[in-house]
Amino acid sequence: MNTLPESNEQYGTKDYWNQRYAQESENGSFDWFKSYGEISDIIQDLIPDRSSKILMLGCGNSKLSEEMYDDGFRNIVNIDYSAVLIEQMQQRHSRDRPDMQWHEMDVRDVTFADDTFDVVIDKGTMDAMMTVKGDIWNPPQRVIDDCTREVREAIRYISRY
Ligand SMILES: C[S@@+](CC[C@H](N)C(=O)[O-])C[C@H]1O[C@@H](n2cnc3c(N)ncnc32)[C@H](O)[C@@H]1O
């Protein structure tokens, strides 16, 4: 099975992710960049309250959410725009991790109300939206707009203290 795209830009398309997750085994998982074991100290420092309401952006089939859940973070909502992936993750976790939620949703257009979450985590998702040809220091307007929308949404649904 070849899950690598023909070009880097395909990482920025929903079709690529749907096809990739459809090809991978139902129980497949892959953690981009770092696993929970490698960043758990940082996460626990930044999120001292295990009951915090956490939104995981572009969760993929990473084990980050399940390992955080098993470590006591029971209030995690996962979103990803791949319908194929969300269906797989719902089935995989519904029995053993019933409090964890999975929603097909775009990080640029989040349907949760203002002030819903305490914490938002993006590991590799904005990176996927930035995979374009050319000068990364002078990105196309579309990339600037996508990233701005993601951050504007986060500012809206994160609680202000
Ligand atoms: C590089 S993977 C990272 C997966 C996971 N967060 C990890 O750390 O392993 C990017 C994920 O973001 C999702 N994604 C990309 N753009 C998205 C968007 N605009 N809205 C929601 N999900 C998106 C993809 O479907 C894919 O699952």
Side-chain angles (χ1 to χ4, degrees):
M1 181 188 58
N2 184 11
T3 52
L4 290 178
E6 281 167 20
S7 71
N8 216 28
E9 295 83 70
Q10 283 182 275
Y11 283 123
T13 69
K14 194 191 286 189
D15 280 352
Y16 166 72
W17 291 106
N18 273 327
Q19 278 172 27
R20 176 179 171 128
Y21 293 128
Q23 274 178 44
E24 284 185 355
S25 87
E26 292 275 303
N27 287 316
S29 71
F30 184 76
D31 250 300
W32 288 77
F33 308 127
K34 295 280 179 193
S35 67
Y36 181 55
E38 292 168 294
I39 56 174
S40 58
D41 286 355
I42 299 170
I43 296 232
Q44 288 159 20
D45 257 14
L46 292 173
I47 321 175
D49 180 359
R50 291 272 207 288
S51 67
S52 299
K53 288 181 251 164
I54 300 169
L55 183 64
M56 191 69 72
L57 297 178
C59 55
N61 58 15
S62 150
K63 290 200 166 199
L64 179 61
S65 293
E66 70 178 75
E67 290 177 348
M68 284 181 67
Y69 184 97
D70 294 346
D71 200 16
F73 295 94
R74 289 297 153 92
N75 229 324
I76 304 178
V77 174
N78 300 277
I79 66 170
D80 200 292
Y81 70 178
S82 165
V84 176
L85 177 275
I86 290 298
E87 171 76 25
Q88 289 173 351
M89 297 302 268
Q90 271 164 348
Q91 291 198 0
R92 191 183 302 184
H93 296 292
S94 61
R95 201 192 60 189
D96 295 336
R97 300 182 182 87
D99 300 331
M100 196 139 72
Q101 292 182 37
W102 305 90
H103 299 278
E104 177 190 347
M105 204 179 289
D106 196 306
V107 301
R108 296 163 293 186
D109 189 15
V110 169
T111 57
F112 294 109
D114 297 0
D115 305 328
T116 302
F117 296 97
D118 304 311
V119 175
V120 60
I121 299 178
D122 175 326
K123 181 162 77 66
T125 300
M126 188 180 279
D127 303 69
M129 294 197 302
M130 294 174 74
T131 49
V132 287
K133 278 208 178 84
D135 179 2
I136 192 64
W137 301 112
N138 186 21
Q141 191 58 42
R142 182 181 59 73
V143 170
I144 296 171
D145 292 344
D146 285 345
C147 296
T148 304
R149 281 172 66 191
E150 178 182 346
V151 173
R152 283 223 174 98
E153 281 290 67
I155 291 167
R156 181 187 64 72
Y157 57 69
I158 290 286
S159 314
R160 283 164 284 270
Y161 293 98

